[in-house]
Amino acid sequence: MRERRPAQQRRHAREFESFVAGAAGRLFHAATLLTGEPAAHPAPAAEDLLIRALARTYADWDRLRGEDPYERTRRELADRFARTARRHRRPRGGPLDRLTPQERLVLVLRLHEGVAEEQAAAQLGLPAERVRALYLHAVAAFRSHRPARRVRDGEAPTRARDGEAPTRVRDGEAPTRARDGEAP
């Protein structure tokens, strides 16, 4: 019996390592989206979130019994993020950082992970209508923020605030508003 236990532990460690090798990239991307960190820079909060979720999955590896380890890790990642959402409120420069943590969580579960609305609601302990409202608000907020338009050589850059006409900026001059009928 003594020799059987280490062999079983080695087998579980190999299984877990192969799972992590296949799933870590996608899980890390989900974690960076959740924490609002940019993917191009080091993402310590996302790394910490993922490591803790993977540690929990490894601890429960013997008890999975046919359950999908990716699904289990993704649920743990989402649950852990929901419990620590207050830490992820300040903007960090990521693509979803202008959304609230709860909106980010719903958007990542629904769009990035492809979780059905009812499943997301059950996992988060929210009514399906609330999940739908969070999702629609997050999508609208994400779409309303348009990236800055690239400036071609010789063209003056423009800036616009929500609901306002764009301003024209020239080197050494104060910003001016575009007039009706005039190109911005």
Side-chain angles (χ1 to χ4, degrees):
M1 182 70 176
R2 260 195 156 154
E3 293 177 21
R4 186 173 176 214
R5 185 86 173 145
Q8 184 181 22
Q9 287 175 340
R10 283 193 304 271
R11 189 184 88 238
H12 286 251
R14 282 193 309 270
E15 289 172 356
F16 184 75
E17 286 173 7
S18 66
F19 159 69
V20 170
R26 184 170 171 90
L27 287 167
F28 181 68
H29 186 65
T32 56
L33 290 173
L34 286 172
T35 58
E37 294 175 305
H41 303 293
E47 288 175 11
D48 183 55
L49 189 66
L50 180 59
I51 288 170
R52 291 174 187 268
L54 286 170
R56 178 63 184 255
T57 301
Y58 183 73
D60 294 340
W61 195 258
D62 291 342
R63 295 181 291 275
L64 288 179
R65 301 207 199 301
E67 186 181 346
D68 182 16
Y70 182 84
E71 174 73 18
R72 178 69 169 263
T73 307
R74 183 190 49 77
R75 269 197 331 260
E76 180 61 32
L77 189 70
D79 291 345
R80 188 166 292 279
F81 176 77
R83 285 191 306 267
T84 62
R86 69 184 181 284
R87 296 180 192 164
H88 306 288
R89 288 188 187 271
R90 72 181 167 90
R92 297 176 185 210
L96 303 180
D97 70 345
R98 68 185 156 277
L99 303 176
T100 67
Q102 198 172 36
E103 290 171 343
R104 270 186 268 156
L105 180 56
V106 169
L107 196 66
V108 169
L109 286 175
R110 299 276 291 120
L111 285 181
H112 181 68
E113 293 295 322
V115 176
E117 188 174 283
E118 295 78 21
Q119 286 178 311
Q123 181 178 346
L124 300 174
L126 298 171
E129 295 80 25
R130 177 69 179 144
V131 170
R132 185 178 308 115
L134 285 167
Y135 173 75
L136 292 174
H137 187 267
V139 168
F142 190 69
R143 286 183 178 165
S144 70
H145 181 76
R146 305 232 191 280
R149 194 178 74 140
R150 290 190 175 207
V151 177
R152 287 177 254 154
D153 289 339
E155 184 178 323
T158 61
R159 287 180 277 164
R161 294 187 192 128
D162 291 338
E164 293 183 6
T167 58
R168 185 173 305 135
V169 181
R170 291 189 183 105
D171 290 336
E173 291 183 8
T176 58
R177 295 266 167 236
R179 294 182 190 95
D180 290 339
E182 186 180 325

